[in-house]
Amino acid sequence: TYADTTLSWLKEKLDDNDKDIKSLLNLSQGRPFHALKLHDSEQLSQQKEILQDLIHIRTGQAEPVNLAEKWKNYGINTVLTCLLDYLATSAKMLSSSHATDGNNSSINGHLQDFSNGLDLSSVMDCYDLVLRNLYAVNGPFSLNNQGLLEDVIIQVQELR
């Protein structure tokens, strides 16, 4: 949870409702100044698109190579960090009897759609892969970012 002063400060700056502010803070990893910057950037809409893409992967409506190229243009760190957040929230949803209130209702609803019917173990395996790929991207080796993203997409396609 976030301090009331942080929530009030952001609400005053952004003139948004509480759920949107909490979502923004979650996406900015709890950093209020970054949340302000994120609110004014296209990154927020990209993160919403990534969630839609996850749903399309699960339903077979996504072309994996094109999707990996699109995500690569967003920036691999941005995409992998966003995926970690979505998979962690999905795991929380699967392990509890009610949806989490950390995201706004739009994102929460789409995450619920994504999570429906998934096995918690499969989601955690996918989370582990995304985390390993994030470490690999930021490590000392020069790895193919497109290949890492395609690896994640394949893992999401295999979720059961």
Side-chain angles (χ1 to χ4, degrees):
T1 63
Y2 302 104
D4 289 338
T5 52
T6 299
L7 294 172
S8 298
W9 180 82
L10 260 179
K11 187 173 185 171
E12 179 183 312
K13 296 287 184 190
L14 300 177
D15 196 31
D16 282 342
N17 69 48
D18 287 338
K19 291 235 182 244
D20 289 340
I21 290 171
K22 287 180 183 178
S23 173
L24 209 50
L25 276 169
N26 286 341
L27 292 173
S28 67
Q29 300 171 344
R31 300 175 294 168
F33 295 128
H34 186 69
L36 271 179
K37 183 179 173 186
L38 181 63
H39 183 266
D40 295 331
S41 75
E42 66 182 38
Q43 189 175 1
L44 188 58
S45 65
Q46 288 174 346
Q47 291 181 340
K48 289 179 182 179
E49 277 190 50
I50 291 168
L51 180 53
Q52 278 302 128
D53 293 339
L54 285 174
I55 294 168
H56 290 148
I57 292 168
R58 286 224 39 235
T59 59
Q61 298 173 343
E63 169 35 56
V65 174
N66 293 341
L67 186 56
E69 289 174 9
K70 173 182 158 184
W71 284 0
K72 186 178 171 188
N73 289 332
Y74 289 170
I76 191 161
N77 281 314
T78 298
V79 172
L80 294 177
T81 302
C82 180
L83 290 173
L84 284 176
D85 180 52
Y86 288 154
L87 290 167
T89 304
S90 181
K92 288 177 192 172
M93 288 177 170
L94 291 168
S95 64
S96 69
S97 61
H98 62 287
T100 62
D101 65 351
N103 292 316
N104 71 36
S105 57
S106 167
I107 290 176
N108 198 21
H110 289 300
L111 265 172
Q112 193 67 52
D113 290 344
F114 171 73
S115 302
N116 285 338
L118 290 179
D119 175 59
L120 179 59
S121 175
S122 295
V123 172
M124 293 309 300
D125 288 345
C126 191
Y127 180 92
D128 288 342
L129 173 72
V130 173
L131 187 60
R132 281 192 314 270
N133 284 359
L134 185 60
Y135 287 143
V137 165
N138 294 304
F141 306 105
S142 178
L143 299 174
N144 181 324
N145 291 351
Q146 176 95 15
L148 293 173
L149 289 170
E150 289 177 13
D151 192 30
V152 170
I153 290 169
I154 290 168
Q155 182 79 20
V156 171
Q157 285 177 322
E158 299 298 315
L159 283 173
R160 47 176 161 61

